[in-house]
Amino acid sequence: MFPEEDSLMNISRWRSVIYTVDDTNAPTHTPKNKGREALPYLQYLVDHYDDLPDVVVFLHSHRDGVIAGWHIDTMDYSNVDSVRALQKEFVQQAGFVNLRCQLSPGCPSAIQPFRQPPNPESPGEAHYAAAWKQLFPGEPVPREIAAPCCSQFAVSREQILQRPRTDYQRMYDWVMDNDLPDEATSNIMEYSWHIVFGKDPVL
């Protein structure tokens, strides 16, 4: 999702790219339903790498609601309100901005790849170190990853372009081809997006 004009006050001025994950006959779709939001996010980056807007906002399919959108930090749990309030200039300055900004839960130390035994409430933790070597080859596995949850964020074009398209393709291939459950794959990516887009493991 991204703005066609400089003003972010009118939601109708944002153009959307919606990937359908469970219908390969849809005009814009992923090859299969894998990794929850991770696969469509990465497919967007691969598909549109040469045609990026100034700011890209990655959102889940639900619009609002206390159950579906429990993790949206607005009074009405509304993604529309989140996008309306977004400051494009701040996103371009910061490069990456998570749409969760409340102090609770803040940036918990959600994944510790070397913790023994792994945290049973974190489906990706036991697999994170191995996944890291595929996602970020040659980089040392961090001992701690801390960031807000829930994989809704904004990122600038300049920040996306700090990585070559081949990096996003490699991550896409990992999501497509790994044998992990979807909840583990999405959890690993959930706590990797900020790293993908230039932030330290502890945000």
Side-chain angles (χ1 to χ4, degrees), residues 34-35 123-124 127-128 131 174-175 177-185 188:
K34 178 77 184 293
H127 312 284
Y128 196 90
W174 176 80
V175 171
D177 298 336
N178 76 60
D179 295 326
L180 299 176
D182 272 9
E183 63 178 2
T185 298
I188 288 165

Side-chain angles (χ1 to χ4, degrees), residues 112-125:
Q112 299 176 36
F114 303 105
R115 174 162 42 196
Q116 293 298 331
N119 180 0
E121 296 183 5
S122 176
E125 184 171 270

Side-chain angles (χ1 to χ4, degrees), residues 161-179:
L161 294 177
Q162 292 301 305
R163 289 187 178 275
R165 190 203 304 256
T166 53
D167 278 12
Y168 301 115
Q169 183 68 58
R170 182 182 64 252
M171 295 172 190
Y172 176 91
D173 292 343
W174 176 80
V175 171
M176 280 283 290
D177 298 336
N178 76 60
D179 295 326

Side-chain angles (χ1 to χ4, degrees), residues 122-144:
S122 176
E125 184 171 270
H127 312 284
Y128 196 90
W132 176 277
K133 294 174 184 178
Q134 301 298 314
L135 297 171
F136 307 102
E139 298 183 30
V141 181
R143 302 199 66 81
E144 178 182 15

Side-chain angles (χ1 to χ4, degrees), residues 144-166:
E144 178 182 15
I145 295 91
C149 79
C150 305
S151 298
Q152 296 202 122
F153 53 87
V155 63
S156 70
R157 174 176 59 206
E158 287 72 18
Q159 188 61 56
I160 293 172
L161 294 177
Q162 292 301 305
R163 289 187 178 275
R165 190 203 304 256
T166 53

